[in-house]
mmCIF file with all atom_site columns, all heavy atoms in Angstrom:
data_model
loop_
_atom_site.group_PDB
_atom_site.id
_atom_site.type_symbol
_atom_site.label_atom_id
_atom_site.label_alt_id
_atom_site.label_comp_id
_atom_site.label_asym_id
_atom_site.label_entity_id
_atom_site.label_seq_id
_atom_site.pdbx_PDB_ins_code
_atom_site.Cartn_x
_atom_site.Cartn_y
_atom_site.Cartn_z
_atom_site.occupancy
_atom_site.B_iso_or_equiv
_atom_site.pdbx_formal_charge
_atom_site.auth_seq_id
_atom_site.auth_comp_id
_atom_site.auth_asym_id
_atom_site.auth_atom_id
_atom_site.pdbx_PDB_model_num
ATOM 1   N N   . ILE A 1 1  ? 112.675 98.424  85.679  1.00 90.00 ? 1  ILE A N   1
ATOM 2   C CA  . ILE A 1 1  ? 113.246 97.959  86.943  1.00 90.00 ? 1  ILE A CA  1
ATOM 3   C C   . ILE A 1 1  ? 112.666 98.760  88.110  1.00 90.00 ? 1  ILE A C   1
ATOM 4   O O   . ILE A 1 1  ? 112.279 98.197  89.138  1.00 90.00 ? 1  ILE A O   1
ATOM 5   C CB  . ILE A 1 1  ? 114.785 98.067  86.921  1.00 90.00 ? 1  ILE A CB  1
ATOM 6   C CG1 . ILE A 1 1  ? 115.370 97.021  85.969  1.00 90.00 ? 1  ILE A CG1 1
ATOM 7   C CG2 . ILE A 1 1  ? 115.370 97.878  88.315  1.00 90.00 ? 1  ILE A CG2 1
ATOM 8   C CD1 . ILE A 1 1  ? 116.840 97.204  85.685  1.00 90.00 ? 1  ILE A CD1 1
ATOM 9   N N   . LEU A 1 2  ? 112.587 100.085 87.949  1.00 90.00 ? 2  LEU A N   1
ATOM 10  C CA  . LEU A 1 2  ? 112.049 100.934 89.014  1.00 90.00 ? 2  LEU A CA  1
ATOM 11  C C   . LEU A 1 2  ? 110.571 100.626 89.273  1.00 90.00 ? 2  LEU A C   1
ATOM 12  O O   . LEU A 1 2  ? 110.086 100.767 90.400  1.00 90.00 ? 2  LEU A O   1
ATOM 13  C CB  . LEU A 1 2  ? 112.225 102.413 88.655  1.00 90.00 ? 2  LEU A CB  1
ATOM 14  C CG  . LEU A 1 2  ? 113.673 102.904 88.509  1.00 90.00 ? 2  LEU A CG  1
ATOM 15  C CD1 . LEU A 1 2  ? 113.697 104.387 88.136  1.00 90.00 ? 2  LEU A CD1 1
ATOM 16  C CD2 . LEU A 1 2  ? 114.474 102.672 89.786  1.00 90.00 ? 2  LEU A CD2 1
ATOM 17  N N   . SER A 1 3  ? 109.844 100.208 88.212  1.00 88.00 ? 3  SER A N   1
ATOM 18  C CA  . SER A 1 3  ? 108.427 99.870  88.377  1.00 88.00 ? 3  SER A CA  1
ATOM 19  C C   . SER A 1 3  ? 108.229 98.438  88.861  1.00 88.00 ? 3  SER A C   1
ATOM 20  O O   . SER A 1 3  ? 107.103 97.991  89.044  1.00 88.00 ? 3  SER A O   1
ATOM 21  C CB  . SER A 1 3  ? 107.688 100.055 87.050  1.00 88.00 ? 3  SER A CB  1
ATOM 22  O OG  . SER A 1 3  ? 108.100 99.080  86.109  1.00 88.00 ? 3  SER A OG  1
ATOM 23  N N   . LYS A 1 4  ? 109.360 97.706  89.017  1.00 87.00 ? 4  LYS A N   1
ATOM 24  C CA  . LYS A 1 4  ? 109.379 96.314  89.485  1.00 87.00 ? 4  LYS A CA  1
ATOM 25  C C   . LYS A 1 4  ? 108.806 95.330  88.466  1.00 87.00 ? 4  LYS A C   1
ATOM 26  O O   . LYS A 1 4  ? 108.413 94.214  88.807  1.00 87.00 ? 4  LYS A O   1
ATOM 27  C CB  . LYS A 1 4  ? 108.650 96.189  90.826  1.00 87.00 ? 4  LYS A CB  1
ATOM 28  C CG  . LYS A 1 4  ? 109.294 97.033  91.919  1.00 87.00 ? 4  LYS A CG  1
ATOM 29  C CD  . LYS A 1 4  ? 108.582 96.923  93.240  1.00 87.00 ? 4  LYS A CD  1
ATOM 30  C CE  . LYS A 1 4  ? 109.255 97.825  94.284  1.00 87.00 ? 4  LYS A CE  1
ATOM 31  N NZ  . LYS A 1 4  ? 108.557 97.798  95.574  1.00 87.00 ? 4  LYS A NZ  1
ATOM 32  N N   . GLU A 1 5  ? 108.761 95.770  87.193  1.00 87.00 ? 5  GLU A N   1
ATOM 33  C CA  . GLU A 1 5  ? 108.375 94.849  86.121  1.00 87.00 ? 5  GLU A CA  1
ATOM 34  C C   . GLU A 1 5  ? 109.528 93.938  85.740  1.00 87.00 ? 5  GLU A C   1
ATOM 35  O O   . GLU A 1 5  ? 109.321 92.853  85.210  1.00 87.00 ? 5  GLU A O   1
ATOM 36  C CB  . GLU A 1 5  ? 107.943 95.642  84.868  1.00 87.00 ? 5  GLU A CB  1
ATOM 37  C CG  . GLU A 1 5  ? 106.528 96.126  84.897  1.00 87.00 ? 5  GLU A CG  1
ATOM 38  C CD  . GLU A 1 5  ? 106.062 96.588  83.534  1.00 87.00 ? 5  GLU A CD  1
ATOM 39  O OE1 . GLU A 1 5  ? 106.747 96.302  82.536  1.00 87.00 ? 5  GLU A OE1 1
ATOM 40  O OE2 . GLU A 1 5  ? 105.010 97.238  83.475  1.00 87.00 ? 5  GLU A OE2 1
ATOM 41  N N   . LEU A 1 6  ? 110.750 94.416  85.993  1.00 88.00 ? 6  LEU A N   1
ATOM 42  C CA  . LEU A 1 6  ? 111.954 93.683  85.615  1.00 88.00 ? 6  LEU A CA  1
ATOM 43  C C   . LEU A 1 6  ? 112.867 93.570  86.833  1.00 88.00 ? 6  LEU A C   1
ATOM 44  O O   . LEU A 1 6  ? 112.984 94.525  87.610  1.00 88.00 ? 6  LEU A O   1
ATOM 45  C CB  . LEU A 1 6  ? 112.665 94.441  84.479  1.00 88.00 ? 6  LEU A CB  1
ATOM 46  C CG  . LEU A 1 6  ? 113.703 93.691  83.648  1.00 88.00 ? 6  LEU A CG  1
ATOM 47  C CD1 . LEU A 1 6  ? 113.048 92.570  82.857  1.00 88.00 ? 6  LEU A CD1 1
ATOM 48  C CD2 . LEU A 1 6  ? 114.389 94.660  82.686  1.00 88.00 ? 6  LEU A CD2 1
ATOM 49  N N   . VAL A 1 7  ? 113.507 92.428  86.992  1.00 88.00 ? 7  VAL A N   1
ATOM 50  C CA  . VAL A 1 7  ? 114.404 92.205  88.133  1.00 88.00 ? 7  VAL A CA  1
ATOM 51  C C   . VAL A 1 7  ? 115.846 92.427  87.665  1.00 88.00 ? 7  VAL A C   1
ATOM 52  O O   . VAL A 1 7  ? 116.276 91.837  86.671  1.00 88.00 ? 7  VAL A O   1
ATOM 53  C CB  . VAL A 1 7  ? 114.249 90.785  88.701  1.00 88.00 ? 7  VAL A CB  1
ATOM 54  C CG1 . VAL A 1 7  ? 115.215 90.556  89.859  1.00 88.00 ? 7  VAL A CG1 1
ATOM 55  C CG2 . VAL A 1 7  ? 112.804 90.549  89.147  1.00 88.00 ? 7  VAL A CG2 1
ATOM 56  N N   . PRO A 1 8  ? 116.629 93.265  88.362  1.00 89.00 ? 8  PRO A N   1
ATOM 57  C CA  . PRO A 1 8  ? 118.020 93.496  87.957  1.00 89.00 ? 8  PRO A CA  1
ATOM 58  C C   . PRO A 1 8  ? 118.909 92.293  88.253  1.00 89.00 ? 8  PRO A C   1
ATOM 59  O O   . PRO A 1 8  ? 118.549 91.427  89.052  1.00 89.00 ? 8  PRO A O   1
ATOM 60  C CB  . PRO A 1 8  ? 118.427 94.712  88.799  1.00 89.00 ? 8  PRO A CB  1
ATOM 61  C CG  . PRO A 1 8  ? 117.577 94.621  90.017  1.00 89.00 ? 8  PRO A CG  1
ATOM 62  C CD  . PRO A 1 8  ? 116.259 94.046  89.560  1.00 89.00 ? 8  PRO A CD  1
ATOM 63  N N   . ASP A 1 9  ? 120.068 92.247  87.609  1.00 88.00 ? 9  ASP A N   1
ATOM 64  C CA  . ASP A 1 9  ? 121.031 91.168  87.888  1.00 88.00 ? 9  ASP A CA  1
ATOM 65  C C   . ASP A 1 9  ? 121.551 91.273  89.319  1.00 88.00 ? 9  ASP A C   1
ATOM 66  O O   . ASP A 1 9  ? 121.753 90.277  89.999  1.00 88.00 ? 9  ASP A O   1
ATOM 67  C CB  . ASP A 1 9  ? 122.212 91.238  86.914  1.00 88.00 ? 9  ASP A CB  1
ATOM 68  C CG  . ASP A 1 9  ? 121.777 90.967  85.483  1.00 88.00 ? 9  ASP A CG  1
ATOM 69  O OD1 . ASP A 1 9  ? 120.662 90.449  85.310  1.00 88.00 ? 9  ASP A OD1 1
ATOM 70  O OD2 . ASP A 1 9  ? 122.534 91.275  84.550  1.00 88.00 ? 9  ASP A OD2 1
ATOM 71  N N   . SER A 1 10 ? 121.808 92.509  89.756  1.00 89.00 ? 10 SER A N   1
ATOM 72  C CA  . SER A 1 10 ? 122.283 92.732  91.124  1.00 89.00 ? 10 SER A CA  1
ATOM 73  C C   . SER A 1 10 ? 121.956 94.163  91.528  1.00 89.00 ? 10 SER A C   1
ATOM 74  O O   . SER A 1 10 ? 121.616 95.004  90.693  1.00 89.00 ? 10 SER A O   1
ATOM 75  C CB  . SER A 1 10 ? 123.799 92.499  91.214  1.00 89.00 ? 10 SER A CB  1
ATOM 76  O OG  . SER A 1 10 ? 124.497 93.401  90.366  1.00 89.00 ? 10 SER A OG  1
ATOM 77  N N   . GLY A 1 11 ? 122.076 94.429  92.815  1.00 89.00 ? 11 GLY A N   1
ATOM 78  C CA  . GLY A 1 11 ? 121.779 95.769  93.318  1.00 89.00 ? 11 GLY A CA  1
ATOM 79  C C   . GLY A 1 11 ? 120.505 95.798  94.147  1.00 89.00 ? 11 GLY A C   1
ATOM 80  O O   . GLY A 1 11 ? 119.753 94.819  94.213  1.00 89.00 ? 11 GLY A O   1
ATOM 81  N N   . VAL A 1 12 ? 120.286 96.932  94.782  1.00 88.00 ? 12 VAL A N   1
ATOM 82  C CA  . VAL A 1 12 ? 119.150 97.091  95.698  1.00 88.00 ? 12 VAL A CA  1
ATOM 83  C C   . VAL A 1 12 ? 118.348 98.323  95.323  1.00 88.00 ? 12 VAL A C   1
ATOM 84  O O   . VAL A 1 12 ? 118.907 99.388  95.029  1.00 88.00 ? 12 VAL A O   1
ATOM 85  C CB  . VAL A 1 12 ? 119.647 97.231  97.158  1.00 88.00 ? 12 VAL A CB  1
ATOM 86  C CG1 . VAL A 1 12 ? 118.474 97.449  98.105  1.00 88.00 ? 12 VAL A CG1 1
ATOM 87  C CG2 . VAL A 1 12 ? 120.442 95.999  97.574  1.00 88.00 ? 12 VAL A CG2 1
ATOM 88  N N   . ILE A 1 13 ? 117.010 98.188  95.321  1.00 87.00 ? 13 ILE A N   1
ATOM 89  C CA  . ILE A 1 13 ? 116.107 99.329  95.149  1.00 87.00 ? 13 ILE A CA  1
ATOM 90  C C   . ILE A 1 13 ? 115.259 99.415  96.412  1.00 87.00 ? 13 ILE A C   1
ATOM 91  O O   . ILE A 1 13 ? 114.458 98.515  96.690  1.00 87.00 ? 13 ILE A O   1
ATOM 92  C CB  . ILE A 1 13 ? 115.207 99.171  93.919  1.00 87.00 ? 13 ILE A CB  1
ATOM 93  C CG1 . ILE A 1 13 ? 116.045 99.044  92.646  1.00 87.00 ? 13 ILE A CG1 1
ATOM 94  C CG2 . ILE A 1 13 ? 114.267 100.365 93.792  1.00 87.00 ? 13 ILE A CG2 1
ATOM 95  C CD1 . ILE A 1 13 ? 115.244 98.738  91.412  1.00 87.00 ? 13 ILE A CD1 1
ATOM 96  N N   . ALA A 1 14 ? 115.457 100.473 97.174  1.00 86.00 ? 14 ALA A N   1
ATOM 97  C CA  . ALA A 1 14 ? 114.740 100.641 98.439  1.00 86.00 ? 14 ALA A CA  1
ATOM 98  C C   . ALA A 1 14 ? 113.759 101.806 98.318  1.00 86.00 ? 14 ALA A C   1
ATOM 99  O O   . ALA A 1 14 ? 114.117 102.881 97.842  1.00 86.00 ? 14 ALA A O   1
ATOM 100 C CB  . ALA A 1 14 ? 115.729 100.908 99.568  1.00 86.00 ? 14 ALA A CB  1
ATOM 101 N N   . THR A 1 15 ? 112.517 101.583 98.740  1.00 82.00 ? 15 THR A N   1
ATOM 102 C CA  . THR A 1 15 ? 111.499 102.636 98.746  1.00 82.00 ? 15 THR A CA  1
ATOM 103 C C   . THR A 1 15 ? 110.884 102.728 100.129 1.00 82.00 ? 15 THR A C   1
ATOM 104 O O   . THR A 1 15 ? 110.954 101.787 100.920 1.00 82.00 ? 15 THR A O   1
ATOM 105 C CB  . THR A 1 15 ? 110.380 102.336 97.732  1.00 82.00 ? 15 THR A CB  1
ATOM 106 O OG1 . THR A 1 15 ? 109.771 101.076 98.076  1.00 82.00 ? 15 THR A OG1 1
ATOM 107 C CG2 . THR A 1 15 ? 110.904 102.269 96.312  1.00 82.00 ? 15 THR A CG2 1
ATOM 108 N N   . GLU A 1 16 ? 110.288 103.866 100.387 1.00 77.00 ? 16 GLU A N   1
ATOM 109 C CA  . GLU A 1 16 ? 109.560 104.016 101.633 1.00 77.00 ? 16 GLU A CA  1
ATOM 110 C C   . GLU A 1 16 ? 108.324 103.128 101.605 1.00 77.00 ? 16 GLU A C   1
ATOM 111 O O   . GLU A 1 16 ? 107.868 102.711 100.539 1.00 77.00 ? 16 GLU A O   1
ATOM 112 C CB  . GLU A 1 16 ? 109.158 105.489 101.820 1.00 77.00 ? 16 GLU A CB  1
ATOM 113 C CG  . GLU A 1 16 ? 110.351 106.421 101.976 1.00 77.00 ? 16 GLU A CG  1
ATOM 114 C CD  . GLU A 1 16 ? 109.943 107.885 102.017 1.00 77.00 ? 16 GLU A CD  1
ATOM 115 O OE1 . GLU A 1 16 ? 108.727 108.157 102.034 1.00 77.00 ? 16 GLU A OE1 1
ATOM 116 O OE2 . GLU A 1 16 ? 110.839 108.741 102.014 1.00 77.00 ? 16 GLU A OE2 1
ATOM 117 N N   . LYS A 1 17 ? 107.770 102.844 102.765 1.00 74.00 ? 17 LYS A N   1
ATOM 118 C CA  . LYS A 1 17 ? 106.602 101.977 102.845 1.00 74.00 ? 17 LYS A CA  1
ATOM 119 C C   . LYS A 1 17 ? 105.411 102.588 102.108 1.00 74.00 ? 17 LYS A C   1
ATOM 120 O O   . LYS A 1 17 ? 105.193 103.802 102.142 1.00 74.00 ? 17 LYS A O   1
ATOM 121 C CB  . LYS A 1 17 ? 106.227 101.732 104.314 1.00 74.00 ? 17 LYS A CB  1
ATOM 122 C CG  . LYS A 1 17 ? 107.209 100.820 105.038 1.00 74.00 ? 17 LYS A CG  1
ATOM 123 C CD  . LYS A 1 17 ? 106.731 100.552 106.457 1.00 74.00 ? 17 LYS A CD  1
ATOM 124 C CE  . LYS A 1 17 ? 107.711 99.617  107.191 1.00 74.00 ? 17 LYS A CE  1
ATOM 125 N NZ  . LYS A 1 17 ? 107.277 99.361  108.574 1.00 74.00 ? 17 LYS A NZ  1
ATOM 126 N N   . GLU A 1 18 ? 104.642 101.715 101.442 1.00 77.00 ? 18 GLU A N   1
ATOM 127 C CA  . GLU A 1 18 ? 103.396 102.091 100.768 1.00 77.00 ? 18 GLU A CA  1
ATOM 128 C C   . GLU A 1 18 ? 103.587 103.189 99.716  1.00 77.00 ? 18 GLU A C   1
ATOM 129 O O   . GLU A 1 18 ? 102.720 104.032 99.519  1.00 77.00 ? 18 GLU A O   1
ATOM 130 C CB  . GLU A 1 18 ? 102.353 102.535 101.805 1.00 77.00 ? 18 GLU A CB  1
ATOM 131 C CG  . GLU A 1 18 ? 101.973 101.419 102.768 1.00 77.00 ? 18 GLU A CG  1
ATOM 132 C CD  . GLU A 1 18 ? 100.925 101.860 103.766 1.00 77.00 ? 18 GLU A CD  1
ATOM 133 O OE1 . GLU A 1 18 ? 100.535 103.039 103.739 1.00 77.00 ? 18 GLU A OE1 1
ATOM 134 O OE2 . GLU A 1 18 ? 100.519 101.020 104.581 1.00 77.00 ? 18 GLU A OE2 1
ATOM 135 N N   . VAL A 1 19 ? 104.729 103.200 99.057  1.00 85.00 ? 19 VAL A N   1
ATOM 136 C CA  . VAL A 1 19 ? 104.948 104.129 97.947  1.00 85.00 ? 19 VAL A CA  1
ATOM 137 C C   . VAL A 1 19 ? 104.258 103.579 96.704  1.00 85.00 ? 19 VAL A C   1
ATOM 138 O O   . VAL A 1 19 ? 104.449 102.426 96.329  1.00 85.00 ? 19 VAL A O   1
ATOM 139 C CB  . VAL A 1 19 ? 106.461 104.315 97.666  1.00 85.00 ? 19 VAL A CB  1
ATOM 140 C CG1 . VAL A 1 19 ? 106.688 105.000 96.334  1.00 85.00 ? 19 VAL A CG1 1
ATOM 141 C CG2 . VAL A 1 19 ? 107.091 105.143 98.767  1.00 85.00 ? 19 VAL A CG2 1
ATOM 142 N N   . SER A 1 20 ? 103.419 104.410 96.061  1.00 86.00 ? 20 SER A N   1
ATOM 143 C CA  . SER A 1 20 ? 102.713 103.969 94.855  1.00 86.00 ? 20 SER A CA  1
ATOM 144 C C   . SER A 1 20 ? 103.429 104.500 93.617  1.00 86.00 ? 20 SER A C   1
ATOM 145 O O   . SER A 1 20 ? 103.920 105.633 93.601  1.00 86.00 ? 20 SER A O   1
ATOM 146 C CB  . SER A 1 20 ? 101.265 104.465 94.872  1.00 86.00 ? 20 SER A CB  1
ATOM 147 O OG  . SER A 1 20 ? 101.224 105.879 94.972  1.00 86.00 ? 20 SER A OG  1
ATOM 148 N N   . ILE A 1 21 ? 103.488 103.658 92.594  1.00 89.00 ? 21 ILE A N   1
ATOM 149 C CA  . ILE A 1 21 ? 104.219 103.994 91.372  1.00 89.00 ? 21 ILE A CA  1
ATOM 150 C C   . ILE A 1 21 ? 103.274 103.917 90.171  1.00 89.00 ? 21 ILE A C   1
ATOM 151 O O   . ILE A 1 21 ? 102.587 102.917 89.973  1.00 89.00 ? 21 ILE A O   1
ATOM 152 C CB  . ILE A 1 21 ? 105.412 103.039 91.147  1.00 89.00 ? 21 ILE A CB  1
ATOM 153 C CG1 . ILE A 1 21 ? 106.402 103.145 92.321  1.00 89.00 ? 21 ILE A CG1 1
ATOM 154 C CG2 . ILE A 1 21 ? 106.124 103.345 89.831  1.00 89.00 ? 21 ILE A CG2 1
ATOM 155 C CD1 . ILE A 1 21 ? 107.545 102.148 92.264  1.00 89.00 ? 21 ILE A CD1 1
ATOM 156 N N   . GLY A 1 22 ? 103.251 104.979 89.374  1.00 88.00 ? 22 GLY A N   1
ATOM 157 C CA  . GLY A 1 22 ? 102.482 104.998 88.126  1.00 88.00 ? 22 GLY A CA  1
ATOM 158 C C   . GLY A 1 22 ? 103.442 104.973 86.952  1.00 88.00 ? 22 GLY A C   1
ATOM 159 O O   . GLY A 1 22 ? 104.426 105.707 86.933  1.00 88.00 ? 22 GLY A O   1
ATOM 160 N N   . PHE A 1 23 ? 103.170 104.111 85.967  1.00 89.00 ? 23 PHE A N   1
ATOM 161 C CA  . PHE A 1 23 ? 104.103 103.896 84.858  1.00 89.00 ? 23 PHE A CA  1
ATOM 162 C C   . PHE A 1 23 ? 103.373 104.101 83.534  1.00 89.00 ? 23 PHE A C   1
ATOM 163 O O   . PHE A 1 23 ? 102.468 103.344 83.182  1.00 89.00 ? 23 PHE A O   1
ATOM 164 C CB  . PHE A 1 23 ? 104.673 102.477 84.960  1.00 89.00 ? 23 PHE A CB  1
ATOM 165 C CG  . PHE A 1 23 ? 105.767 102.165 83.970  1.00 89.00 ? 23 PHE A CG  1
ATOM 166 C CD1 . PHE A 1 23 ? 106.402 103.158 83.237  1.00 89.00 ? 23 PHE A CD1 1
ATOM 167 C CD2 . PHE A 1 23 ? 106.179 100.860 83.774  1.00 89.00 ? 23 PHE A CD2 1
ATOM 168 C CE1 . PHE A 1 23 ? 107.407 102.858 82.337  1.00 89.00 ? 23 PHE A CE1 1
ATOM 169 C CE2 . PHE A 1 23 ? 107.192 100.539 82.881  1.00 89.00 ? 23 PHE A CE2 1
ATOM 170 C CZ  . PHE A 1 23 ? 107.804 101.551 82.160  1.00 89.00 ? 23 PHE A CZ  1
ATOM 171 N N   . LEU A 1 24 ? 103.777 105.129 82.791  1.00 85.00 ? 24 LEU A N   1
ATOM 172 C CA  . LEU A 1 24 ? 103.256 105.372 81.448  1.00 85.00 ? 24 LEU A CA  1
ATOM 173 C C   . LEU A 1 24 ? 104.254 104.789 80.454  1.00 85.00 ? 24 LEU A C   1
ATOM 174 O O   . LEU A 1 24 ? 105.361 105.295 80.310  1.00 85.00 ? 24 LEU A O   1
ATOM 175 C CB  . LEU A 1 24 ? 103.068 106.872 81.190  1.00 85.00 ? 24 LEU A CB  1
ATOM 176 C CG  . LEU A 1 24 ? 102.517 107.235 79.815  1.00 85.00 ? 24 LEU A CG  1
ATOM 177 C CD1 . LEU A 1 24 ? 101.046 106.864 79.723  1.00 85.00 ? 24 LEU A CD1 1
ATOM 178 C CD2 . LEU A 1 24 ? 102.701 108.717 79.515  1.00 85.00 ? 24 LEU A CD2 1
ATOM 179 N N   . LYS A 1 25 ? 103.857 103.723 79.761  1.00 80.00 ? 25 LYS A N   1
ATOM 180 C CA  . LYS A 1 25 ? 104.767 103.037 78.841  1.00 80.00 ? 25 LYS A CA  1
ATOM 181 C C   . LYS A 1 25 ? 104.701 103.658 77.453  1.00 80.00 ? 25 LYS A C   1
ATOM 182 O O   . LYS A 1 25 ? 103.791 104.425 77.135  1.00 80.00 ? 25 LYS A O   1
ATOM 183 C CB  . LYS A 1 25 ? 104.412 101.553 78.765  1.00 80.00 ? 25 LYS A CB  1
ATOM 184 C CG  . LYS A 1 25 ? 104.461 100.845 80.116  1.00 80.00 ? 25 LYS A CG  1
ATOM 185 C CD  . LYS A 1 25 ? 104.052 99.400  79.985  1.00 80.00 ? 25 LYS A CD  1
ATOM 186 C CE  . LYS A 1 25 ? 103.981 98.731  81.353  1.00 80.00 ? 25 LYS A CE  1
ATOM 187 N NZ  . LYS A 1 25 ? 103.545 97.329  81.259  1.00 80.00 ? 25 LYS A NZ  1
ATOM 188 N N   . GLN A 1 26 ? 105.690 103.287 76.615  1.00 69.00 ? 26 GLN A N   1
ATOM 189 C CA  . GLN A 1 26 ? 105.719 103.782 75.240  1.00 69.00 ? 26 GLN A CA  1
ATOM 190 C C   . GLN A 1 26 ? 104.498 103.305 74.470  1.00 69.00 ? 26 GLN A C   1
ATOM 191 O O   . GLN A 1 26 ? 103.875 104.067 73.738  1.00 69.00 ? 26 GLN A O   1
ATOM 192 C CB  . GLN A 1 26 ? 106.981 103.285 74.519  1.00 69.00 ? 26 GLN A CB  1
ATOM 193 C CG  . GLN A 1 26 ? 108.244 104.026 74.908  1.00 69.00 ? 26 GLN A CG  1
ATOM 194 C CD  . GLN A 1 26 ? 109.432 103.570 74.078  1.00 69.00 ? 26 GLN A CD  1
ATOM 195 O OE1 . GLN A 1 26 ? 109.269 102.972 73.033  1.00 69.00 ? 26 GLN A OE1 1
ATOM 196 N NE2 . GLN A 1 26 ? 110.630 103.859 74.553  1.00 69.00 ? 26 GLN A NE2 1
ATOM 197 N N   . ASP A 1 27 ? 104.179 102.040 74.623  1.00 67.00 ? 27 ASP A N   1
ATOM 198 C CA  . ASP A 1 27 ? 103.073 101.445 73.870  1.00 67.00 ? 27 ASP A CA  1
ATOM 199 C C   . ASP A 1 27 ? 101.945 101.111 74.831  1.00 67.00 ? 27 ASP A C   1
ATOM 200 O O   . ASP A 1 27 ? 102.121 100.322 75.759  1.00 67.00 ? 27 ASP A O   1
ATOM 201 C CB  . ASP A 1 27 ? 103.533 100.183 73.140  1.00 67.00 ? 27 ASP A CB  1
ATOM 202 C CG  . ASP A 1 27 ? 104.712 100.476 72.211  1.00 67.00 ? 27 ASP A CG  1
ATOM 203 O OD1 . ASP A 1 27 ? 104.601 101.441 71.436  1.00 67.00 ? 27 ASP A OD1 1
ATOM 204 O OD2 . ASP A 1 27 ? 105.718 99.756  72.291  1.00 67.00 ? 27 ASP A OD2 1
#
């Protein structure tokens, strides 16, 4: 959800402009 791969049922995720996210997955 934080990486924006999944959309939550409800709620808000706010980030500063142009924030880059790196995601290391299990597989």
Side-chain angles (χ1 to χ4, degrees):
I1 289 170
L2 297 179
S3 69
K4 299 180 182 177
E5 277 194 13
L6 197 65
V7 178
D9 295 345
S10 61
V12 178
I13 300 174
T15 59
E16 296 174 6
K17 288 184 179 179
E18 297 181 357
V19 167
S20 58
I21 299 174
F23 186 14
L24 180 72
K25 302 178 185 178
Q26 284 185 18
D27 303 310

